[in-house]
Amino acid sequence: MLRKRIDVPPLWLIGFLVLAYALADFVPGLGFGGAWADFLGGVLIGGAVVLFALSIIEFRKHATTVLPHEIPSALIQSGIYKRSRNPIYLADVLLLAGLILRWDAVLALPLIPIFLWVLERRFVIPEEKQMRRQFRLQYASYCNKTRRWL
């Protein structure tokens, strides 16, 4: 279905990034200022890239789908997935936060928790329901030892 193909986290991320970029110039002179914002933004962007890469490595290792609306063939509990059940979504949030800092978009800061809320409601919660149905006790055990985000 078309809805499943376009209702994906990267498109939501792009939408939030476009909005953040537009807000960067909305009120001239209102910004974070200084090199600290550029540095911290760079650290967050770099962390996002690392999390994303580590996640994709695990998906390839377990030969399962990374697409949120498809049924996974394996429950990944190794690598970065020992630390977080949602490292790709966490990477998306870090990327948004990092770019907001780099773009000096103070007015875009509220987009970070809104984006997190959208990810959780549209993707994380439905995926967790699917995983509970498919992997039952194995997934329950995984949830007990691994946090949703950090």
Side-chain angles (χ1 to χ4, degrees), residues 52-125:
F52 184 74
L54 292 173
S55 299
I56 296 303
I57 289 168
E58 291 303 313
F59 272 92
R60 289 190 182 264
K61 190 186 307 182
H62 292 273
T64 190
T65 183
V66 70
L67 300 174
H69 297 296
E70 293 187 7
I71 297 173
S73 60
L75 175 62
I76 303 172
Q77 301 180 63
S78 59
I80 193 66
Y81 286 87
K82 286 181 182 178
R83 303 278 181 221
S84 171
R85 296 194 315 256
N86 297 291
I88 293 177
Y89 297 141
L90 182 57
D92 290 342
V93 173
L94 290 176
L95 182 62
L96 176 63
L99 287 172
I100 285 172
L101 287 171
R102 298 283 299 190
W103 292 336
D104 216 19
V106 171
L107 294 178
L109 283 174
L111 293 178
I112 299 168
I114 294 169
F115 181 58
L116 183 64
W117 180 83
V118 167
L119 288 177
E120 198 163 274
R121 295 294 176 254
R122 296 226 34 92
F123 302 103
V124 173
I125 292 172

